[in-house]
Amino acid sequence: METPFVFGKIVYDKDFTDREQESEKLLSCFISSVNTILISPRRWGKSSLVLKVSELVKKKDKNIHICFIDLNNVRTEEQFYKQFTTEVLKVMSTKTQVLLDNAKKFLGRFVPVISLNPLPGSEFKLSLDWEEVKREPDDILDLPEKICKSANKKLVICIDEFQNISELGDPLGFQKKLRSHWQKHRKVSYCLYGSKKRMMTDVFTSPSMPFFRFGEVIFLDKISTSDWVKFIVKRFRDTGKKITKKEALMISDLADCHPYFVQQLAQQSWLRTEKACNPDIIRASFGDIVLQLSLLYQNLTDNFSTTQLNLLKALLNDEEQLSSQKIIQEYGLGTSANVTKIKKTLSDKEIIDLQNDKISFLDPLYKYWLKEYFFKIDQ
């Protein structure tokens, strides 16, 4: 029997949990050609949300096309232009001849060369003078808008791992270049998201950055406990197994409503359940997951400085006034300026999340491992 819980990859249809408000908002933006930015910690389901909404858009308006671009392995402007151009041509060209015509019509001055494999589902390869493209990228960046105007279509370009543009040779110059073109597009809108919350926040919410106020910024919250409980109970029931609301709540609480870990813990508990789940099964499943991650967590922790570890210990002890002289002296944190520096470093490493004055661990299982196995803090 196929497991009813999915983690570590994009989820579809019945495997998707809640996000009704975010889905409605994103759907409205897609249909209205409003640029959107999704920001949340990694593994909170941004890609799944975008995919779900893209499917809803296709059902609602056949005139809107969706283009997906992943910048995970993009490290140069040339790679960006190549992937951007290739994916746009593919999405906007239903037939091979249309693809060839679009390339010739809109990229003619670059003398495009296209290699096609006759096998079904095979990719095509686009060759341009990428150095020339880099010098004069206007035609590339305006390609989707020109095709859409010509075909009287609309397009939403969804770009994952968008924060990677901050690591290119001239990140600010490149961002200015993108913004100057994309903000003029009327037939094309952009949905930008990525796995590094801090970097995404810096790119889109800092007044000094080119992409400031580029579009609607949507900060994803955790899925609520009540929604997780309903989902877990239903998924067990759909597969002929039982779990009470109390036990489903236990799974949600242990994983701190983190989408990835809730699904993982629910899956492991489901696999161990023959007919009815119970707290012992859930505790055993949770313990096994933590132990599986122990080596990873140990290697991660070994790279922290003493003061960084001291601050983590203070957080685990629920200390709130981290910059007070009492806490600084008790935990050996140095100075208040050093506390600020440590918090930023741990945030950049995606260990903690800084939300206004609230600090939280991004990985609830790492928090548990630190408390129980590394620091061995008494309850």
Side-chain angles (χ1 to χ4, degrees):
M1 183 185 298
E2 186 176 344
T3 174
F5 300 100
V6 179
F7 63 96
K9 56 185 178 181
I10 294 176
V11 298
Y12 302 85
D13 301 327
K14 63 182 181 297
D15 296 321
F16 192 87
T17 318
D18 188 48
R19 297 287 189 212
E20 292 180 6
Q21 290 185 342
E22 295 95 332
S23 296
E24 290 177 6
K25 191 171 187 179
L26 194 58
L27 177 62
S28 175
C29 289
F30 279 17
I31 291 176
S32 304
S33 295
V34 174
N35 297 324
T36 49
I37 298 97
L38 291 178
I39 298 179
S40 79
R42 67 169 65 247
R43 298 192 292 193
W44 277 31
K46 293 181 290 296
S47 298
S48 297
L49 173 63
V50 172
L51 182 64
K52 175 192 175 183
V53 172
S54 71
E55 293 300 320
L56 294 175
V57 169
K58 292 175 185 177
K59 295 176 183 177
K60 223 170 180 51
D61 191 337
K62 302 294 184 183
N63 199 48
I64 300 178
H65 294 258
I66 310 291
C67 176
F68 291 96
I69 298 173
D70 189 347
L71 302 185
N72 186 49
N73 293 316
V74 170
R75 294 294 179 267
T76 66
E77 281 191 45
E78 177 181 323
Q79 291 174 343
F80 175 87
Y81 292 132
K82 187 172 184 178
Q83 190 159 344
F84 184 81
T85 307
T86 300
E87 296 304 324
V88 168
L89 284 174
K90 280 166 54 179
V91 167
M92 297 306 296
S93 308
T94 54
K95 298 179 181 179
T96 301
Q97 188 58 51
V98 175
L99 188 151
L100 294 171
D101 291 343
N102 281 337
K104 182 179 179 181
K105 181 178 180 180
F106 299 109
L107 301 174
R109 74 184 184 90
F110 294 122
V111 192
V113 176
I114 295 178
S115 302
L116 295 168
N117 191 319
L119 294 176
S122 298
E123 297 291 317
F124 76 91
K125 292 184 179 180
L126 174 68
S127 297
L128 299 177
D129 184 344
W130 296 112
E131 283 302 317
E132 177 64 23
V133 169
K134 190 174 178 180
R135 282 192 293 271
E136 297 289 340
D138 295 21
D139 287 349
I140 298 294
L141 296 179
D142 289 331
L143 175 66
E145 179 75 1
K146 289 178 179 179
I147 293 179
C148 285
K149 282 184 176 179
S150 176
N152 194 26
K153 301 285 186 180
K154 292 171 70 176
L155 177 66
V156 182
I157 299 180
C158 304
I159 305 182
D160 198 358
E161 302 298 358
F162 187 76
Q163 76 281 337
N164 282 357
I165 66 170
S166 298
E167 300 176 358
L168 301 183
D170 178 17
L172 278 180
F174 187 57
Q175 288 177 48
K176 289 177 182 177
K177 203 182 298 179
L178 297 181
R179 174 72 188 257
S180 68
H181 286 270
W182 292 355
Q183 68 184 358
K184 299 172 186 174
H185 294 174
R186 295 295 176 263
K187 292 282 189 178
V188 182
S189 60
Y190 297 83
C191 176
L192 311 174
Y193 51 107
S195 61
K196 296 184 178 179
K197 180 182 177 183
R198 173 104 187 170
M199 292 177 69
M200 289 290 291
T201 302
D202 289 344
V203 168
F204 292 103
T205 64
S206 174
S208 63
M209 299 297 284
F211 272 97
F212 180 62
R213 291 182 177 170
F214 177 68
E216 183 83 25
V217 179
I218 302 175
F219 287 92
L220 293 187
D221 290 325
K222 287 181 178 178
I223 295 172
S224 71
T225 299
S226 60
D227 285 318
W228 275 125
V229 169
K230 292 176 189 174
F231 176 75
I232 294 168
V233 170
K234 183 178 186 303
R235 299 302 275 144
F236 266 77
R237 184 174 63 244
D238 289 347
T239 53
K241 298 183 181 184
K242 295 181 180 179
I243 187 171
T244 67
K245 290 183 178 180
K246 185 176 181 180
E247 289 153 357
L249 175 62
M250 182 179 177
I251 290 176
S252 176
D253 285 348
L254 283 171
D256 195 23
C257 290
H258 189 295
Y260 180 94
F261 291 115
V262 170
Q263 294 266 21
Q264 185 179 22
L265 180 54
Q267 184 211 61
Q268 292 302 309
S269 300
W270 180 87
L271 288 171
R272 287 171 166 81
T273 299
E274 291 187 13
K275 293 183 178 180
C277 191
N278 61 57
D280 289 339
I281 289 175
I282 296 171
R283 279 190 287 267
S285 300
F286 182 76
D288 283 352
I289 294 172
V290 173
L291 287 176
Q292 289 170 18
L293 294 169
S294 288
L295 182 58
L296 172 66
Y297 289 156
Q298 185 64 60
N299 290 337
L300 177 66
T301 308
D302 287 343
N303 292 318
F304 293 149
S305 67
T306 300
T307 50
Q308 289 169 352
L309 289 172
N310 290 346
L311 187 134
L312 290 175
K313 187 174 184 179
L315 290 173
L316 291 170
N317 283 328
D318 297 322
E319 304 289 2
E320 296 181 355
Q321 304 300 321
L322 296 175
S323 296
S324 69
Q325 285 303 309
K326 177 180 179 295
I327 299 300
I328 286 174
Q329 290 178 6
E330 182 177 345
Y331 289 92
L333 299 176
T335 64
S336 58
N338 196 46
V339 169
T340 301
K341 181 180 177 182
I342 296 170
K343 288 194 291 185
K344 183 181 183 305
T345 299
L346 292 174
S347 175
D348 291 342
K349 290 177 179 289
E350 298 184 284
I351 302 301
I352 61 174
D353 183 39
L354 304 176
Q355 194 72 31
N356 299 321
D357 294 329
K358 184 180 179 183
I359 304 175
S360 59
F361 281 83
L362 285 172
D363 183 338
L365 272 64
Y366 182 52
K367 177 182 178 181
Y368 177 87
W369 180 86
L370 280 175
K371 192 168 187 176
E372 296 293 324
Y373 293 95
F374 188 79
F375 291 115
K376 299 180 180 179
I377 297 174
D378 296 331
Q379 298 296 323

